[in-house]
Amino acid sequence: MNVRTMIAALLLGMLSLTPGCIGVDSQHPLSDPADAVLDTRLNGQWVQTEEKVTIRYQVKAAGGEAPKGLHRMTMTIDKDTASTYFFVTQLGEHRYINMANFETDDAPEKWDPAKVTYYSIFGYELVNENEITLQPLNEKFFEKLVENGELKKRVDKVDLEQLTIDIEPNKDDDSASDPSFELTSDSKTLAKVFTNHAKELWQGKTLRVTRAGTQSAGK
């Protein structure tokens, strides 16, 4: 299982909410990772159960020569494991996770922003020291922001000969996990839009992640 599949599993519960509303992918993060501040409350062992799938997370500071605010996360489903990096952006009262995605099946041992192909962005909130809620963003609302010119997104070229195949992609094909909605606006523009529309971005439902070893973990 590659890292993209693992990250898809992270967002698995969002798929059961509203189709097409699992958050947004972006060529750029909401802020510069070099300026990020480590949210130490996220460090440790966590558990998420969605649709009978249990995902375990180990979160720690990336360390080494990586930016001080960078987290490294290892995800485990059954015996499959993958790792990635993320960092936090705070805009007003809202906190967002910028999760890095790479071309390779796993994140490189040393952080290299040039190797990031895109970022997955979603909100989060610590309910208490043992519980986090992940907050999916509403992709349909972002489509409206693109339509009115506030944001830009990637436009894929359509190969007419492959159109039939593209309409019904092979679900077992790793390429099907590539983002279908990818923002291309720079970080400054993204941050401005996220701030101006802070009350409109949310899908309205959340996913629950609990600290491993707590009484409610995994339930």
Side-chain angles (χ1 to χ4, degrees):
M1 183 180 294
N2 64 30
V3 69
R4 291 188 180 184
T5 305
M6 297 290 285
I7 292 173
L10 169 80
L11 303 174
L12 181 62
M14 300 180 192
L15 296 174
S16 64
L17 301 180
T18 304
C21 296
I22 61 173
V24 293
D25 293 323
S26 175
Q27 288 184 0
H28 305 282
L30 279 173
S31 58
D32 189 336
D35 298 329
V37 176
L38 199 71
D39 190 342
T40 56
R41 301 173 302 170
L42 299 178
N43 291 342
Q45 305 280 344
W46 299 88
V47 177
Q48 177 190 1
T49 300
E50 299 292 343
E51 300 294 322
K52 299 182 180 180
V53 175
T54 297
I55 313 165
R56 299 184 182 277
Y57 308 99
Q58 179 185 38
V59 180
K60 61 181 181 180
E65 298 179 359
K68 293 182 179 180
L70 197 69
H71 294 265
R72 185 175 177 90
M73 179 172 67
T74 301
M75 300 164 282
T76 302
I77 301 177
D78 294 327
K79 296 181 180 180
D80 294 312
T81 299
S83 298
T84 190
Y85 295 96
F86 74 86
F87 66 94
V88 172
T89 299
Q90 181 161 359
L91 299 174
E93 62 183 15
H94 298 291
R95 290 175 180 262
Y96 301 90
I97 286 175
N98 302 269
M99 182 176 293
N101 296 268
F102 300 87
E103 286 289 351
T104 55
D105 287 349
D106 210 348
E109 285 299 319
K110 293 184 178 180
W111 166 252
D112 184 353
K115 293 183 179 180
V116 178
T117 56
Y118 66 95
Y119 291 87
S120 297
I121 302 174
F122 48 93
Y124 78 96
E125 180 181 10
L126 272 85
V127 179
N128 53 57
E129 63 180 9
N130 294 320
E131 183 175 348
I132 300 171
T133 56
L134 302 180
Q135 303 162 334
L137 302 178
N138 193 327
E139 185 177 295
K140 290 183 179 179
F141 182 71
F142 281 87
E143 285 280 14
K144 293 180 180 179
L145 294 177
V146 170
E147 290 175 3
N148 68 25
E150 291 187 64
L151 289 175
K152 295 180 180 180
K153 75 170 184 176
R154 184 190 66 183
V155 178
D156 291 325
K157 294 181 180 179
V158 177
D159 184 341
L160 296 180
E161 293 182 0
Q162 293 293 319
L163 184 58
T164 302
I165 297 175
D166 293 340
I167 291 174
E168 294 291 339
N170 183 352
K171 294 182 179 180
D172 295 326
D173 184 355
D174 284 344
S175 65
S177 64
D178 287 342
S180 60
F181 184 96
E182 185 176 309
L183 298 174
T184 58
S185 299
D186 60 31
S187 297
K188 183 177 180 180
T189 300
L190 284 173
K192 180 179 179 180
V193 170
F194 271 63
T195 300
N196 290 343
H197 297 282
K199 296 182 179 180
E200 304 166 277
L201 302 178
W202 311 103
Q203 190 181 136
K205 297 183 180 180
T206 60
L207 300 176
R208 181 170 170 268
V209 181
T210 53
R211 193 177 295 277
T214 61
Q215 185 176 2
S216 58
K219 292 185 178 180

